[in-house]
Amino acid sequence: MPVKLTKVNAILIALIIILGAIAAYFALFPRVVEKVVEVEKPVEVVYIRFAGWSAGETEMKNYEKMIAKFQEKYPNIRVKYEVITQMFHENILASFGAGVAPDIFYVDTSWAPTFIEKGALYPVDELASQEFINQFYDFLLEPFRGKDGRLYGLPKDWSMLALFYNKKLFEQAGLTRPPETWEELEEYAKIIADKTGKPGLAIYLGGFNRYVPVAVSYGAPKPWFEKPGDEAWFDHPAVKETIIWYINLYRKGKLEREAQGKTPYVVQPADVGAGWLGDAFGKQEVAMVISGNWMIPFLADQFPDLKFGEDWDIAPLPRGPKGRVTMAYTVALGINAKTEHPQEAWKFVEFIIGREGQLELVVKMGHTLPSIKGLEESPDMWPQHKKTLSFKYDQVVVFLWGPKSGELEGKISDVMAAAMRGELSLEEVIPTLKETVRAVLES
């Protein structure tokens, strides 16, 4: 007897058939389920700002190359590179006040104490392992230690002052070797100007840090200004003698020579239509400059026809009665204490200043001198840099004059520059310098 199919039974049968079909679908096509479940979460991109100054177009291009390499390795971190051309540290401090400070920025040794005291720097020993820190030369670490013993920066590289001289202009002037003493430096500058019609030496107006090797080589102690009374450094006989000589390089070498209708034997870069010492030297407008390793890649990049060893060479700084002295400069990549991305900022710093980063930027690109031990032995080290490392000095003075070095450097240099331009008499120089230093230390 046939079963009578009611409306309700028909609906139930239809549902059973549909559910069976769905079960069979998922049993036969499990990969479809997997594709539905495995949805990747979008990668969050972090943006960080990196600010530095520049020793010319070459340095900027080299950093842009390194940033591109970093972003290939860490595609989720994007770096905005900002170049501040004037009053760098003052502008960075002002950006803190405005709440727009970059995540990473250069910190010169002379300004490190100020940034540390103001709590602007993230303690790098919270981010870096001791093994990583131990790679660096100790004398380059000390300027970045706070009074609390913490380390607030690691040196990205370093440089020392040396004498750069144009061999062709020397030959034209009948000079066969670089000057040995500071007095000979001035004598050579005069001879070159008279014989070639080109100034023998270019210097910066002011430039206290460039003057310090002269004073120390004559027996002055390294300057250190920490408390009122330390301005007495300018009363040291070696300082009194050499600072007037240094100021007179420009007063006699430029102002008096032009008044006599003669070619100046000492100029500043602007006097020969140049932006800085490297530019003046590369254009062969002057025969000698005293500069650091940062000038070497600039010359190679911007003046490729000016050949090292053939057209120009490097010599140690002239010596004084108490020996031969040079200045050492280093800069840390400081991390903003208030950055929202400390880990990402550290990854960038670690990439740039670590062994692989320095091998690429500092050694292979010839940027400056490596701050990590042993990298100077690399076969990729440029011969120009190797030569500077071969020079023997009695003292190497690190650019740091005390807790307010940055501010003092600027103010002392301003007084010296005014005297060089003839706006301040020679008799006023020492008293004005002492008053300037005292005012800063008492503030």
Side-chain angles (χ1 to χ4, degrees):
M1 177 179 171
V3 178
K4 185 177 181 182
L5 189 65
T6 67
K7 187 175 182 181
V8 173
N9 288 339
I11 293 172
L12 287 174
I13 292 169
L15 284 174
I16 291 169
I17 293 170
I18 291 170
L19 289 173
I22 291 173
Y25 174 83
F26 283 115
L28 290 171
F29 302 102
R31 289 180 184 177
V32 174
V33 178
E34 289 175 8
K35 287 182 181 179
V36 172
V37 173
E38 291 182 2
V39 177
E40 292 186 9
K41 184 180 179 181
V43 177
E44 182 183 355
V45 176
V46 172
Y47 293 86
I48 56 176
R49 293 165 53 219
F50 163 47
W53 61 77
S54 174
E57 183 182 347
T58 309
E59 179 176 323
M60 293 166 60
K61 289 194 298 185
N62 286 348
Y63 266 103
E64 286 167 356
K65 291 175 186 175
M66 293 301 292
I67 290 169
K69 288 177 180 291
F70 172 77
Q71 291 180 160
E72 285 178 12
K73 185 174 182 179
Y74 298 101
N76 64 315
I77 305 175
R78 312 304 294 176
V79 180
K80 182 184 178 184
Y81 180 34
E82 303 169 358
V83 178
I84 300 173
T85 57
Q86 294 184 348
M87 298 184 69
F88 179 86
H89 293 95
E90 292 89 341
N91 279 316
I92 292 292
L93 285 174
S95 72
F96 271 93
V100 292
D103 300 280
I104 305 159
F105 49 90
Y106 282 9
V107 183
D108 185 86
T109 52
S110 64
W111 281 91
T114 299
F115 278 82
I116 293 170
E117 181 186 347
K118 291 182 178 295
L121 297 176
Y122 202 103
V124 74
D125 49 17
E126 282 189 10
L127 300 166
S129 69
Q130 192 59 48
E131 182 182 7
F132 187 86
I133 294 170
N134 290 342
Q135 298 178 95
F136 295 86
Y137 290 106
D138 291 338
F139 81 99
L140 298 176
L141 291 176
E142 287 311 306
F144 304 109
R145 290 196 187 279
K147 292 180 179 179
D148 57 2
R150 303 295 301 272
L151 192 61
Y152 289 89
L154 293 171
K156 68 183 184 68
D157 52 21
W158 74 288
S159 297
M160 69 175 86
L161 290 181
L163 178 70
F164 293 69
Y165 66 100
N166 185 301
K167 296 182 75 172
K168 298 295 178 67
L169 289 174
F170 266 50
E171 289 172 10
Q172 290 178 36
L175 301 170
T176 59
R177 60 170 178 80
E180 275 292 313
T181 66
W182 293 108
E183 293 83 358
E184 203 169 55
L185 176 74
E186 184 176 14
E187 180 187 341
Y188 272 37
K190 290 179 185 177
I191 293 171
I192 291 165
D194 291 337
K195 295 286 182 69
T196 71
K198 292 285 183 76
L201 177 68
I203 62 174
Y204 289 128
L205 294 193
F208 179 64
N209 67 89
R210 306 298 178 96
Y211 153 74
V212 167
V214 184
V216 176
S217 72
Y218 268 75
K222 174 189 172 180
W224 191 261
F225 308 113
E226 188 166 7
K227 61 185 184 304
D230 287 346
E231 71 275 6
W233 183 82
F234 288 101
D235 289 326
H236 194 285
V239 175
K240 285 185 172 182
E241 177 185 358
T242 56
I243 203 163
I244 298 303
W245 173 83
Y246 194 78
I247 288 168
N248 270 333
L249 282 176
Y250 193 79
R251 289 171 70 117
K252 292 181 177 180
K254 173 72 163 59
L255 305 184
E256 289 186 14
R257 288 277 289 197
E258 285 190 335
Q260 297 166 359
K262 298 179 180 178
T263 300
Y265 62 84
V266 176
V267 293
Q268 63 170 321
D271 295 333
V272 292
W276 68 293
L277 293 179
D279 196 29
F281 187 80
K283 290 177 177 177
Q284 302 189 69
E285 293 296 334
V286 297
M288 296 181 288
V289 300
I290 290 172
S291 192
N293 295 79
W294 55 82
M295 203 172 99
I296 292 169
F298 172 81
L299 293 175
D301 181 58
Q302 298 294 310
F303 301 95
D305 294 332
L306 193 67
K307 303 298 183 184
F308 170 67
E310 181 180 338
D311 301 311
W312 67 278
D313 213 330
I314 312 171
L317 290 193
R319 58 178 168 79
K322 300 298 182 182
R324 204 182 294 272
V325 181
T326 190
M327 281 290 305
Y329 303 83
T330 189
V331 172
L333 293 187
I335 296 176
N336 185 338
K338 296 181 179 179
T339 179
E340 295 179 359
H341 308 289
Q343 295 301 327
E344 289 82 1
W346 168 245
K347 281 182 180 178
F348 178 72
V349 171
E350 183 181 31
F351 179 84
I352 295 294
I353 70 172
R355 185 170 293 273
E356 290 183 14
Q358 286 201 39
L359 183 61
E360 187 70 27
L361 174 63
V362 182
V363 177
K364 291 181 180 179
M365 294 184 188
H367 192 62
T368 41
L369 298 174
S371 56
I372 285 181
K373 302 168 190 173
L375 281 181
E376 71 280 356
E377 303 297 332
S378 169
D380 293 316
M381 190 81 172
W382 286 22
Q384 302 96 308
H385 291 303
K386 279 189 176 181
K387 189 162 187 177
T388 63
L389 287 171
S390 73
F391 300 148
K392 305 299 181 186
Y393 288 102
D394 297 286
Q395 287 193 64
V396 176
V397 179
V398 177
F399 184 19
L400 182 64
W401 323 132
K404 294 185 177 182
S405 295
E407 183 179 357
L408 283 169
E409 171 70 23
K411 292 185 180 297
I412 292 171
S413 295
D414 287 345
V415 173
M416 292 174 65
M420 287 176 163
R421 290 190 296 264
E423 299 165 1
L424 192 68
S425 72
L426 295 178
E427 293 74 23
E428 294 175 297
V429 171
I430 298 295
T432 305
L433 286 169
K434 291 175 65 178
E435 181 182 338
T436 300
V437 173
R438 190 184 309 115
V440 171
L441 295 178
E442 289 177 346
S443 62

